Amino acid sequence: MTSLPPPIAHLQPLLGTWRGEGHGEYPTIASFDYVDEWEFVAPPGKPFIRFIERTWDADGQPKHTETGYLRCPSPELIEIIAAIPTGQAENGSGSVTVDDGLTIATDAIVLNTESAKRVDRIVRRFEVNGDELTYGMEMAAVDQPLTLHLRATLRRVTD
Ligand code: HEM
């Protein structure tokens, strides 16, 4: 296993590919379930991890995807930069907690393209416990206050 540079060494448990199931909801839409995959990769020597999420519906049709970076300029600080193809750019910061597992919490402002549905804030929480990754995502969007949109549970499929 390649060792990570000091600013991101504590993020090692996140690396790899994870697959599982998610559930989505929001006050303005019908609830839904999805198949979820996240890939977290650390390019050698760099103080960041890049990620790509891919999702599918129950029929195997591709749904939402997104890609971005988790940056740690220092071990105490984590920042998220993500591009969302529905027209949003997420830009936030937060905390990393390492105890029995790893918890990453971020709170982000959002820039929207002209035609995008308006998202003002994205709050995420990832928890890694061994080979299980769970996350929650809340957003303030389309005139709603900060409200749950996604939660998912995934299992590690590759290191
Ligand atoms: C950062 C990530 C995401 C953001 C910012 C986001 C944002 C939004 C917004 C603004 C809406 C519109 C709500 C409305 O029209 O009232 C929406 C709807 C929806 N989202 Fe997400 N979403 C994200 C991730 C996901 C993921 C991972 C899935 C998984 C499949 C998903 C599936 C849906 C579905 C099915 C709808 C309702 C139908 C539609 O408008 O396409 N979203 N989302």
Side-chain angles (χ1 to χ4, degrees):
M1 188 182 289
T2 319
S3 64
L4 299 177
I8 61 165
H10 53 319
L11 300 185
Q12 180 82 49
L14 189 59
L15 297 185
T17 302
W18 304 79
R19 285 204 194 107
E21 283 81 44
H23 175 80
E25 58 192 66
Y26 209 63
T28 53
I29 59 172
S31 299
F32 58 94
D33 295 316
Y34 60 99
V35 176
D36 200 8
E37 179 186 283
W38 286 75
E39 192 183 343
F40 295 92
V41 175
K46 298 292 189 186
F48 58 77
I49 287 174
R50 66 180 152 76
F51 62 83
I52 179 161
E53 181 194 25
R54 301 178 182 89
T55 68
W56 296 264
D57 66 16
D59 298 328
Q61 292 302 310
K63 303 298 283 185
H64 174 98
T65 184
E66 65 190 51
T67 189
Y69 297 91
L70 293 170
R71 296 162 29 82
C72 288
S74 68
E76 299 74 35
L77 188 62
I78 191 157
E79 296 174 343
I80 185 168
I81 297 283
I84 301 158
T86 43
Q88 290 84 21
E90 175 182 1
N91 177 332
S93 60
S95 62
V96 184
T97 312
V98 183
D99 41 38
D100 290 346
L102 175 70
T103 302
I104 297 169
T106 59
D107 193 338
I109 56 166
V110 182
L111 275 177
N112 296 270
T113 60
E114 199 174 315
S115 67
K117 290 201 173 172
R118 172 91 186 240
V119 181
D120 294 308
R121 185 178 170 197
I122 296 175
V123 172
R124 302 189 192 243
R125 184 181 178 90
F126 296 91
E127 294 186 16
V128 180
N129 281 295
D131 285 339
E132 185 177 90
L133 168 67
T134 56
Y135 72 81
M137 185 283 237
E138 295 175 84
M139 65 180 178
V142 292
D143 296 326
Q144 302 296 310
L146 191 66
T147 306
L148 185 71
H149 183 39
L150 307 165
R151 55 187 156 78
T153 302
L154 301 90
R155 304 288 301 175
R156 177 186 292 289
V157 292
T158 67
D159 288 337

